[in-house]
């Protein structure tokens, strides 16, 4: 398992060791001991999520203001552009984002700590995304940062106007959003 620090140091790009043979492949998608040893993070995941979306769907940018969740994200099927936005007011990278292409083919995972908004755009005909969370879903705490906030200026690799939920269509701008310390 390789761990790479991204342009926002607390966000990590993880590439697992994949064992391929004539049958196909095998890899450990998560191993707690390896994760802690390689990242130095002592965290525990309490919830696994799985979503399926068609091409041009954009889910996000979401975060929970109370019960903030760290997320470990991967694409089981297809290809997504996964994005994390730093919402920690005291961070030197506040308001900045990182984007990575996660796909069933590259096996890569993105670790996004609590304090970030997370979202992804589907670049393939369909994508299934699985991700682990460090705290439970808390609908009352759920918040949305507007996906195309000009101050965040994410370069979405979308071929068309994205398909977003009604909730995501009215996400807040960074200058209005509830933030982390
Ligand atoms: C997130 C979540 C949702 N739900 C229910 C609530 C709704 O009835 C339904 C769809 O929820 P939502 O439209 O918020 O799903 P996404 O737009 O995929 O939200 C996720 O998208 C971005 C990418 C994230 O990082 C978050 O994990 C999460 O907010 O699932 C649950 O029961 N548990 C959950 O943990």
């Amino acid at each position: 398992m390789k761990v790479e620090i991204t342009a926002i140091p607390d966000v990590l790009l993880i590439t697992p060791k994949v064992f391929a043979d004539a049958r196909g492949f095998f890899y450990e998608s998560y191993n707690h001991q390896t994760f802690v040893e390689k990242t130095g993070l002592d965290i525990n995941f309490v919830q696994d999520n799985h979503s399926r979306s068609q091409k041009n769907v954009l889910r996000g940018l979401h975060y929970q203001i109370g019960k903030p969740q760290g997320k470990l994200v991967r694409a089981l099927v297809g290809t997504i552009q996964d994005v994390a936005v730093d919402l920690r007011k005291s961070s030197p990278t506040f308001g900045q984002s990182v984007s990575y292409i996660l796909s069933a083919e590259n096996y890569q995972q993105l670790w996004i700590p609590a304090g970030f908004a997370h979202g992804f755009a589907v670049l393939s005909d369909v994508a299934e995304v699985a991700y682990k969370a460090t705290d439970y879903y808390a609908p009352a705490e759920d918040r949305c940062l507007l996906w195309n906030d000009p101050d965040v200026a994410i370069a979405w690799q979308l071929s068309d106007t994205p398909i977003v939920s009604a909730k995501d269509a009215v996400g807040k701008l960074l200058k209005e959003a509830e933030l982390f310390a």
Side-chain angles (χ1 to χ4, degrees), residues 47 49 59 62 71 118-120 131 137 142 167-168:
Q47 182 175 316
N49 298 327
R59 293 180 185 253
H62 300 157
K71 295 166 189 169
H118 171 243
F120 61 83
Y131 49 106
Y137 176 55
D142 203 18
K167 174 184 75 171
D168 293 353

Side-chain angles (χ1 to χ4, degrees), residues 8 83-98 115-117 145 149-154 174-175 179:
I8 299 179
V83 177
V85 181
D86 192 347
L87 298 184
R88 303 167 300 179
K89 287 180 290 190
S90 61
S91 168
T93 54
F94 171 69
Q96 295 182 28
S97 66
V98 286
F116 285 73
L145 179 72
D149 182 331
D151 291 336
V152 182
I154 296 165
L174 182 65
K175 59 192 173 192
L179 302 169

Side-chain angles (χ1 to χ4, degrees), residues 13-14 16 25 27 29 49-53 72-82 100-110 118 120-124 126-132:
L13 180 67
I14 293 170
F25 69 81
Y27 74 100
S29 53
N49 298 327
H50 182 162
S51 67
R52 178 181 170 96
S53 311
L72 183 61
V73 186
R74 66 191 174 112
L76 296 170
V77 172
T79 302
I80 63 169
Q81 177 187 1
D82 206 46
Y100 278 90
I101 300 300
L102 304 180
S103 72
E105 288 69 36
N106 70 20
Y107 310 102
Q108 289 186 316
Q109 304 177 11
L110 203 58
H118 171 243
F120 61 83
V122 177
L123 307 182
S124 48
V126 67
E128 294 196 21
V129 177
Y131 49 106
K132 308 177 83 69

Side-chain angles (χ1 to χ4, degrees), residues 19-39:
F19 299 91
D21 63 27
R23 299 167 298 170
F25 69 81
F26 175 92
Y27 74 100
E28 293 181 358
S29 53
Y30 181 72
N31 177 307
H32 184 71
Q33 183 175 345
T34 307
F35 185 86
V36 171
E37 283 174 2
K38 294 278 190 174
T39 64

